[in-house]
Amino acid sequence: MTPSRRGFLAGAGLVALAGCLGNSTSELSGSRSLPTAEEQLPLPTSPENLRDAARSGGPPKDGIPSIDEPAFLDASEAGFLADGDPVFGVVRDGVAKAYPQKILAKHEIVNDSLAGTPVTVTYCPLTGTVQGFERGNTTFGVSGRLINSNLVMYDRHTDTWWPQMLATSIPGPWNGDPEIQSLREFRLVWTSWKQWRDQNPETEVLSTETGHAKNYSRDPYGSYNPPGGYYANETLLFGGLNPSDRFDPKRVVMGLRTPDGAAAFAKNALREAGQLEGAVGGTPILAVFDGRYDTAYGYLNPDERSFDRDGNRLVDAAGTSHEPDALPLSRVHTFDAMWFAWAGYYPETNVYQ
Amino acid sequence: MSTSDIRRRDRLQRALGRTRSATRLVFRRRDSLLVLATVTSLYLLLYLWAIGHLSPGLGGFDLLVVSDPLSKLLQPELGPFSFTPVARVAVGPVTYLFSLNTVLGLGIAGLVGLNAALTYLVWRQPSACGIGRSSTGLLAGIPALLSGTACCGPVILLVLGVQASGVLLTGFQLLLPVAVMMLLGSLLLVGRQVTVQG
């Protein structure tokens, strides 16, 4: 009995010690230089109410470790990826990069740079959202808290909370009075490894050599290839802010928001229709499907210009043909999200299908 | 101290003494030692699988040790009793992650194995009574198997499709210490039933 008791006490001591050590973070010194958006994005409620809606997801701060020194491989070296595996792709100044979902499911944040610009690539498995942000001289980490089931990031200079989908600072326990501002976003395309590689054969791929001892073949939530587990069922683990039964909770919508409001297009409806019209804050918008990547782009379309589809391209009234991601309109940041998460953050959203 | 308190203390001391003797007996007999080793090994494998530290991997053969592993060994990962893996061993289709959880798991597996070995000894003694109680040792090992967490939330809730409330999450954080306490209690319950000759 005595040895067992000693062993248990020693174990409890280790856990207590670990609890102390676990709160140490890699905070950055000096003043923060973070590029922010010219206009603040809409919030569903006050920043204080959002702070109060935060809940622990289980892990402590940085318990889910961000990748801070990412390494990349050539496409031919990425044997760990199957054709149908999801990747999040971006091209900047002719350099294409793919971030595999199976790696980001374990880290949620990659602090990287694109064409010399410091950026952070973020992914929340629970809401199915991928967002890219400029990060200036800071890095972002995983706070361990969730709002609307969505990742809450923090910046390592000021400890300010930044809910991923809202892309806007809110007060939190580590910084109670931050300036409320929105991050500069950039688009990452959620597509399959095959589709990305076919379009970008010279692409680099995030390596599994992340500096962390993880098993990247195991996604505890489920699977996208084939669909299964949390990603495919209707069960929420942490719930949403504003429940809506308009669609199945995990149905994927392509969402966009401007300072004037939000709109969501059902992705499968876009896939079938090719393009859908809508409005956000009274301004007409146009969403077009891109079969190359199985994704879609949203545009402000104040003059309500129309386009004819010619295969995957769109032809304007003058007969000029355009790729779906390059229409002569003002493109709005658009990204995939599970319906419950979009409706939770943007309950007044317009919906098109 | 009242008479009943003294009786209770005496009973506890007797149970402790008999459990100590029974534990020594486990290590003296080859058959009970085999039960201990087998059950401990199997439970450890089951525990590592349940928390995701032993599972199918990306394939190939590889050993990775993170930089400064000693300082990271005590870092919590996904919850209070979930520690950061500091090494990864890929052997063909299987990948093993080494963390402090392997040490904790070994401790719990040892308790489960000891419970099983004592149960075996009780079973081998026809005169022992209360054989039904002896199964509690194995049941007590179940909470630790359920303590595995995904990036956010306990794995078992994902499997069952149950939404995680604050109370549930707190409960899951206690599973591992609860398992240890139950195993120690069960050890006493079983150990006191073993009669050690001489």
Side-chain angles (χ1 to χ4, degrees):
Chain A
M1 178 66 195
T2 307
S4 297
R5 188 195 289 159
R6 276 190 200 135
F8 175 66
L9 290 175
L14 279 176
V15 169
L17 178 62
C20 298
L21 293 175
N23 288 332
S24 66
T25 57
S26 49
E27 286 185 5
L28 300 174
S29 56
S31 63
R32 189 187 73 184
S33 167
L34 180 63
T36 51
E38 288 175 10
E39 288 185 282
Q40 187 199 308
L41 290 166
L43 297 178
T45 180
S46 72
E48 291 73 25
N49 284 347
L50 285 167
R51 174 196 58 204
D52 296 342
R55 55 178 303 180
S56 170
K61 186 183 188 182
D62 284 325
I64 299 169
S66 60
I67 298 175
D68 296 330
E69 294 175 18
F72 290 85
L73 305 168
D74 290 337
S76 60
E77 298 172 307
F80 64 94
L81 284 174
D83 282 352
D85 287 351
V87 297
F88 313 131
V90 61
V91 181
R92 180 82 61 96
D93 282 359
V95 177
K97 282 187 171 181
Y99 301 84
Q101 182 269 343
K102 61 172 63 172
I103 298 179
L104 264 70
K106 295 291 175 70
H107 296 280
E108 303 194 359
I109 291 178
V110 183
N111 290 300
D112 194 9
S113 63
L114 291 174
T117 303
V119 298
T120 189
V121 171
T122 67
Y123 167 60
C124 178
L126 291 172
T127 53
T129 44
V130 182
Q131 290 267 69
F133 304 109
E134 292 187 24
R135 63 178 172 85
N137 67 346
T138 195
T139 59
F140 285 87
V142 179
S143 71
R145 309 301 209 282
L146 300 168
I147 301 175
N148 192 37
S149 285
N150 183 233
L151 159 69
V152 177
M153 316 179 296
Y154 77 96
D155 76 70
R156 292 193 172 122
H157 267 88
T158 66
D159 262 341
T160 301
W161 275 9
W162 302 86
Q164 184 221 25
M165 286 176 67
L166 298 175
T168 301
S169 50
I170 62 166
W174 311 322
N175 186 344
D177 190 24
E179 186 183 349
I180 306 303
Q181 49 194 346
S182 298
L183 294 170
R184 277 195 210 160
E185 306 168 295
F186 67 88
R187 175 71 189 271
L188 287 137
V189 174
W190 182 316
T191 185
S192 72
W193 171 228
K194 181 178 188 317
Q195 285 174 303
W196 183 257
R197 196 186 55 216
D198 285 350
Q199 297 298 323
N200 305 278
E202 303 300 319
T203 188
E204 299 176 358
V205 190
L206 181 66
S207 165
T208 57
E209 299 302 319
T210 58
H212 300 274
K214 301 277 185 188
N215 181 353
Y216 295 109
S217 80
R218 181 180 174 274
D219 183 339
Y221 296 107
S223 161
Y224 277 105
N225 183 29
Y230 175 87
Y231 305 129
N233 64 32
E234 295 188 6
T235 306
L236 302 182
L237 194 54
F238 291 95
L241 280 184
N242 297 290
S244 162
D245 56 6
R246 179 164 187 157
F247 296 134
D248 290 342
K250 309 285 177 61
R251 183 164 175 184
V252 178
V253 296
M254 299 300 300
L256 61 89
R257 67 270 196 269
T258 70
D260 300 322
F265 295 85
K267 191 171 184 178
N268 60 348
L270 261 175
R271 195 179 286 125
E272 285 174 22
Q275 54 186 311
L276 290 172
E277 293 171 353
V280 62
T283 304
I285 54 174
L286 177 69
V288 294
F289 183 72
D290 186 345
R292 296 172 301 172
Y293 297 110
D294 190 42
T295 191
Y297 302 90
Y299 296 88
L300 296 179
N301 189 15
D303 299 329
E304 300 189 66
R305 294 177 63 180
S306 60
F307 296 85
D308 293 324
R309 234 179 148 86
D310 178 15
N312 194 53
R313 297 176 70 87
L314 292 110
V315 182
D316 63 23
T320 309
S321 174
H322 308 275
E323 293 286 8
D325 59 347
L327 295 192
L329 297 172
S330 175
R331 209 168 102 182
V332 186
H333 182 69
T334 308
F335 58 98
D336 299 65
M338 293 177 185
W339 166 246
F340 83 91
W342 188 263
Y345 267 153
Y346 303 108
E348 307 297 326
T349 185
N350 294 331
V351 181
Y352 303 98
Q353 60 176 324
Chain B
M1 191 179 284
S2 68
T3 317
S4 63
D5 285 341
I6 293 170
R7 269 199 211 120
R8 211 173 291 136
R9 192 191 62 193
D10 287 346
R11 268 207 305 273
L12 180 64
Q13 281 178 343
R14 232 184 352 263
L16 282 171
R18 293 187 79 153
T19 303
R20 256 197 302 270
S21 304
T23 302
R24 278 196 289 271
L25 182 63
V26 166
F27 285 95
R28 283 205 302 269
R29 287 176 56 148
R30 187 172 293 179
D31 53 351
S32 54
L33 200 56
L34 187 66
V35 172
L36 171 69
T38 307
V39 173
T40 299
S41 305
L42 288 176
Y43 185 90
L44 180 61
L45 292 175
L46 198 60
Y47 172 78
L48 291 172
W49 172 79
I51 64 168
H53 286 193
L54 185 70
S55 51
L58 294 173
F61 295 85
D62 180 41
L63 169 66
L64 168 85
V65 179
V66 303
S67 65
D68 200 6
L70 285 179
S71 73
K72 289 176 182 157
L73 195 63
L74 293 177
Q75 271 182 16
E77 190 193 32
L78 304 177
F81 292 96
S82 165
F83 294 93
T84 301
V86 295
R88 180 181 66 203
V89 183
V91 182
V94 178
T95 293
Y96 162 65
L97 305 178
F98 173 76
S99 73
L100 200 59
N101 282 97
T102 294
V103 181
L104 285 178
L106 187 61
I108 295 168
L111 285 173
V112 173
L114 200 52
N115 267 283
L118 289 178
T119 303
Y120 168 78
L121 288 181
V122 171
W123 173 67
R124 295 288 294 164
Q125 288 184 324
S127 58
C129 58
I131 193 78
R133 286 179 188 157
S134 55
S135 60
T136 55
L138 298 178
L139 294 178
I142 293 175
L145 296 179
L146 302 179
S147 66
T149 40
C151 295
C152 293
V155 169
I156 190 71
L157 296 190
L158 283 166
V159 172
L160 297 177
V162 177
Q163 197 159 314
S165 67
V167 175
L168 259 180
L169 281 180
T170 306
F172 270 88
Q173 292 174 357
L174 297 173
L175 279 175
L176 211 118
V178 163
V180 172
M181 297 310 291
M182 285 171 65
L183 284 165
L184 290 173
S186 166
L187 211 56
L188 277 182
L189 280 176
V190 187
R192 70 178 185 173
Q193 299 173 59
V194 181
T195 306
V196 180
Q197 303 294 332

